[in-house]
C-alpha cells in the first residue's frame, strides 16, 4: 500500500501491530478516526494510555485491577472460601459474564507447558498455595481441557494435597445447543460416564 | 461482558466505536496492548493523536497531507496535465498502489446522491473546475460504476464542457481472474461492446 501521508502511514503501521489486523483493516480504522471529532479521538487515545499506564495487578488473585486489590477480591458480598483457578483475564470475564459464580478467582497467568518453557515458577502457583493455607475451602479448576490443562490441574492438586481443600473441575460435556453427532468421542464418552440425575439438569442453581 | 476493571472497560468501549469491531475483538486488542511494552503503547497512541491533530488536506487536490500541499501534487516528476477524479483517500491509495499512474488526483469527497442530501455544493467540484481552467488536459473519471457515480461523471462533464479538456473514464470489464459465467450481464455486454485489439491486452503501458 502506498500512502501519500506519513502521518496516515504511521497510524496504519501502529494499528497493524494488533492481532488479526491487516493493512486494509488498519486503514479503515484510521480513516474512521480521521472522520471523528478531535475530542473523540483524544478520548480514544487517553483511554488506551491510561489503561496501559495505570493498570495494576491484584496482589491476591493477579487479575487486572484499578487499585492494588481488584473489585472482586475486595467485594464484601463474595464467597471468600471458594477460588476458581483460571488461566487469564479473558476467562474471568467469561465466567463473570454468566453471573452465576460468586466466589473469588486465581489467575495462573498461563498453564504448564514444558515445550514453551513454562514451568511452575513462571505461573502464580506459589501464591495460590499460600491462599489455600490461609483457609480456602474449594478450588474450582477452570482450565482448558487439554493435556497441558490437565497436567496443571494435577500439579496444583499435588501441591495442596496435604491441605484440607476440596478440588473440583468445571463440568465437561455436550454444550447446550450442541448436536450429539458432532461431539468428539472423548467428550461424548465422558458425558455419558458422568451423567447426572435429571433434577440437576433442569435447574442451574447459583453457587 | 462484565469487566472487573474500569480502565479495561473504558478502553474496550473506545475500541468498539471503530467500524467492524465488536466487544470481543475490542477486548482482544486491549489485552494485546496490555501485554505490549509501555513505550510501544505510547507510540501507538502518539501516532493516532498526531495523525488526527496534525493532518491537513491538500489545498489543490483535497487529499490528506502532512503539509498544505500533498506529496503527490508537489512531486516534480508527476504529469500535472492529467487529473484522476476519485471519491476519497481510499481510492487514491488503491490507484497509487498499482504504481501505474503518474498524474495528479482530485478528491471529490463523495459522489452526488440527492437522497443523502449530497449535492454539487457538498463536493469539491468548484475547485476541480478551477483546476481545469488552469490548464488540465485530461480528467480521468475513476468513480464507482453506480447510478450516483455515473450521474457525478455527467455532471462534471457538463461543468467543464466549454473548456478544452479531454474526459475519460477508467475501463470497466471482466476482472483479471474473473470467470465469465459469474459476471453480471451489464459488465459482460459492455466488455464485448468495448472490446480492444489484442496488443492493448498483452501489455499494460505505464501512463
Amino acid at each position: 500500500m502506498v500512502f501519500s501521508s506519513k502521518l496516515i502511514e504511521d497510524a496504519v503501521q501502529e494499528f497493524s501491530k494488533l492481532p488479526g489486523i491487516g493493512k486494509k483493516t488498519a486503514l479503515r480504522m484510521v480513516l474512521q478516526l480521521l472522520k471523528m471529532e478531535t475530542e473523540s479521538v483524544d478520548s480514544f487515545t487517553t483511554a488506551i494510555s491510561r489503561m496501559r499506564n495505570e493498570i495494576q495487578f491484584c496482589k491476591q488473585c493477579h487479575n487486572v485491577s484499578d487499585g492494588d486489590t481488584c473489585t472482586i477480591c475486595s467485594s464484601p458480598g463474595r464467597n471468600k472460601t471458594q477460588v476458581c483457578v483460571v488461566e487469564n483475564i479473558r476467562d474471568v470475564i467469561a465466567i463473570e459474564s454468566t453471573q452465576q459464580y460468586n466466589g473469588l478467582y486465581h489467575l495462573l497467568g498461563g498453564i504448564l507447558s514444558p515445550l514453551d518453557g513454562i514451568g511452575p515458577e513462571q505461573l502464580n502457583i506459589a501464591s495460590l498455595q499460600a491462599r489455600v493455607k490461609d483457609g480456602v475451602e474449594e478450588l474450582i479448576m477452570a482450565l482448558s481441557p487439554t493435556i497441558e490443562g490437565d497436567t496443571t490441574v494435577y500439579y496444583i492438586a499435588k501441591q495442596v494435597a496435604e491441605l484440607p481443600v476440596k478440588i473440583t473441575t468445571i463440568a465437561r460435556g455436550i454444550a447446550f445447543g450442541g448436536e450429539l453427532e458432532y461431539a468428539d468421542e472423548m467428550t461424548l464418552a465422558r458425558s455419558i460416564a458422568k451423567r447426572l440425575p435429571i433434577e440437576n439438569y433442569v435447574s442451574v442453581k447459583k453457587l
Side-chain angles (χ1 to χ4, degrees), chain A:
Chain A
M1 252 187 233
V2 178
F3 299 97
S4 53
S5 153
K6 183 91 178 64
L7 291 167
I8 299 269
E9 187 172 354
D10 287 347
V12 168
Q13 190 65 41
E14 288 292 336
F15 258 110
S16 7
K17 288 180 190 163
L18 297 178
I21 302 293
K23 279 274 166 85
K24 283 207 172 178
T25 314
L27 176 63
R28 210 172 62 217
M29 291 186 185
V30 167
L31 294 182
Q32 175 72 19
L33 284 165
L34 196 59
K35 268 195 246 165
M36 282 161 54
E37 299 294 320
T38 322
E39 295 79 52
S40 308
V41 176
D42 283 347
S43 79
F44 176 83
T45 53
T46 309
I48 291 163
S49 285
R50 284 196 56 199
M51 187 270 294
R52 183 63 190 84
N53 292 313
E54 295 176 23
I55 203 91
Q56 297 180 44
F57 291 91
C58 175
K59 61 180 184 196
Q60 180 167 259
C61 73
H62 310 286
N63 191 7
V64 288
S65 173
D66 299 351
D68 68 349
T69 308
C70 77
T71 50
I72 297 175
C73 284
S74 55
S75 160
R78 301 192 71 127
N79 180 354
K80 290 178 170 44
T81 66
Q82 233 172 13
V83 169
C84 182
V85 178
V86 295
E87 217 181 301
N88 56 38
I89 309 162
R90 219 177 300 222
D91 301 328
V92 175
I93 294 171
I95 297 174
E96 282 299 285
S97 298
T98 68
Q99 305 194 328
Q100 296 296 319
Y101 179 64
N102 197 38
L104 305 184
Y105 293 91
H106 191 86
L107 284 78
L108 296 177
I111 44 179
L112 290 176
S113 177
L115 285 178
D116 302 319
I118 301 176
E121 307 73 36
Q122 276 74 48
L123 303 179
N124 302 318
I125 290 181
S127 58
L128 177 61
Q129 227 174 331
R131 287 179 77 181
V132 173
K133 276 186 195 140
D134 275 358
V136 169
E137 291 168 14
E138 182 180 0
L139 285 188
I140 303 173
M141 299 293 186
L143 301 177
S144 317
T146 57
I147 294 182
E148 287 84 5
D150 286 348
T151 309
T152 312
V153 169
Y154 289 123
Y155 182 84
I156 293 173
K158 234 176 70 186
Q159 301 306 304
V160 298
E162 308 290 299
L163 300 165
V165 64
K166 183 173 150 197
I167 301 185
T168 56
T169 72
I170 53 168
R172 311 279 177 210
I174 308 293
F176 280 96
E179 304 243 14
L180 277 201
E181 58 176 317
Y182 299 123
D184 66 290
E185 286 168 26
M186 279 250 317
T187 304
L188 193 50
R190 206 186 144 108
S191 76
I192 292 171
K194 302 284 173 188
R195 65 195 178 280
L196 297 172
I198 190 123
E199 61 267 32
N200 292 34
Y201 177 77
V202 288
S203 77
V204 175
K205 261 188 289 177
K206 190 159 174 165
L207 283 171

